[in-house]
Structure formats: C-alpha cells, structure tokens
Amino acid sequence: MAFPIVDRPAPAPDTSTPVRHAVIFDLDGVVVDSFAVMSEAFATAYAEVVGDGPAPFEEYRRHLGRYFPDIMRIMNLPLAMEEPFVRESYRLADKVQVFEGILELLLTLRVRGLRLAIATGKSGPRARSLLDQLGLLPFFAHVIGSDEVARPKPAPDIVRHALNLLDVPPERAIMVGDAPTDVASARGAGVASAAALWAPPEDVGELLAGGPDVVLHRPADLLALCPAVSAC
C-alpha cells in the first residue's frame, strides 16, 4: 500500500539531550485501537473454556502489555483460553482501527530519518499479520512479539532486542507505551519512556505512577521529541 510523503518542519533540536534515532512502539492502545476486538475475543474464549458468567475483561485490560499466557497465570485462568482467544482475534482483525494521527506520525518520523520498531505483548506472527492487514507493516524495521524473547514485559528483554536489531544505543531511542509494563521494560533497558494517553488506559494513575519520562496526549506530541536525524 503506497502512502503520500508528509512532513512538517522539525523543531530545533535540544542539544541537552541526545537526538533520537529510533522509536519503539507498543502496539495495542498506541498504534491500534483493538480493545473492542480483544473484549469480544476474550468473552468468546472465556465462554468456551470457563463457561457461563461475565468474562473479567476489565481485569484483563489492566494487564495489557504482558504476554497472554502470563496474564492467564496472573488471573488464575486456564491457559487453554489462548487458542480460542487467538482464533477469534484473527477472525475479527478487520475490525481493528488505527488511531487518528498515527499514520501521519509514522510518515513524518520516517521522513525525518528515524527507525521504527514494534515491541508488543502479542505474539510476533499475530502482530505482523495485523500490521500487514492494516497496511502499516512497511513502516517498521522490526516487529517483535513477546514469544520471541526469553522474558516478556515488564522485563527489558524485548526493548533490548529491538535496540540490537535497530543498531541504536539506549540513549538514542524512546519507547512509547500505554501500560506500566511498557514503562518498566523501557527503564530496564535504559531507554526513555513516553506514556501514550490517546486511548485512556484502564488506570491512568497506575501508568503515571510508573514514572514515564514524558506524557503524550496525542500522537503528534511525539514529534517535538524526535527532530530530523540529519539535524544532529
């Protein structure tokens, strides 16, 4: 899918901090709005494996950013829920929406010379399939899932792996996420963290208590932190 090239004049770089060469994004709640799809898939999986009664999706959402099997263990739910959850997530993928402003953000960051990656709680194949279906996969040099590292978020492994693949030192990157696990993973890898609030998390207070380095209220806010690489 071809996209027009969009750019805006980059602000003058702040020489007190390193110019960013890379941005690592979480996927759900940052790049895509998949909460309705996840809720439906979770309800179906719960009904098939657990049985009658309301599916505790609100609790599940509080753990987003973690790998699905880890969430099941935390919630004391059967790991067998993963198969129907993944099946339904694939089936409903065409209902996932890209957040307003994300496409322009990705275009501008690429024009400015930054390298982009995804570090998600999803499995790698599912994340790449979704991004491909949405036409966003070409923007990202690497898409890493929780099944592709030894320890998923909140451990720093997935962010460190992204840095290695991007060949960028920690101080030249920033991680954008909407969950405390994203902030913790970035901090453990020595990377600055940005809290994305355009899809208000289940508990904003918990996210902010995690100590992100910056808070972003809309995708375009990130551009002030990411001047053109050629300007450094």
Side-chain angles (χ1 to χ4, degrees), residues 61-62 178-180 197 200-209:
R61 185 171 170 179
R62 286 199 295 272
D178 69 323
L197 298 187
E202 193 66 19
D203 189 339
V204 175
E206 184 179 0
L207 173 59
L208 298 182

Side-chain angles (χ1 to χ4, degrees), residues 24 117 119 142 144 157-167:
I24 303 168
H142 302 282
I144 308 162
D157 301 36
I158 196 165
V159 178
R160 287 175 177 162
H161 188 40
L163 293 173
N164 289 336
L165 293 173
L166 293 167
D167 194 23

Side-chain angles (χ1 to χ4, degrees), residues 18-96:
V19 174
R20 312 293 178 195
H21 287 189
V23 181
I24 303 168
F25 292 91
D26 180 40
L27 182 56
D28 298 293
V30 177
V31 175
V32 299
D33 183 354
S34 54
F35 297 123
V37 165
M38 282 193 288
S39 178
E40 186 173 344
F42 188 81
T44 299
Y46 188 86
E48 288 187 14
V49 177
V50 179
D52 295 335
F57 181 71
E58 306 313 325
E59 181 183 355
Y60 172 80
R61 185 171 170 179
R62 286 199 295 272
H63 300 297
L64 286 181
R66 296 178 182 270
Y67 193 30
F68 188 89
D70 290 343
I71 299 176
M72 294 299 95
R73 294 184 187 97
I74 291 170
M75 295 179 64
N76 197 29
L77 289 173
L79 293 178
M81 282 183 59
E82 183 177 20
E83 188 281 327
F85 178 81
V86 170
R87 182 197 71 222
E88 291 301 297
S89 296
Y90 273 112
R91 185 179 69 83
L92 299 166
D94 61 343
K95 296 183 179 181
V96 174

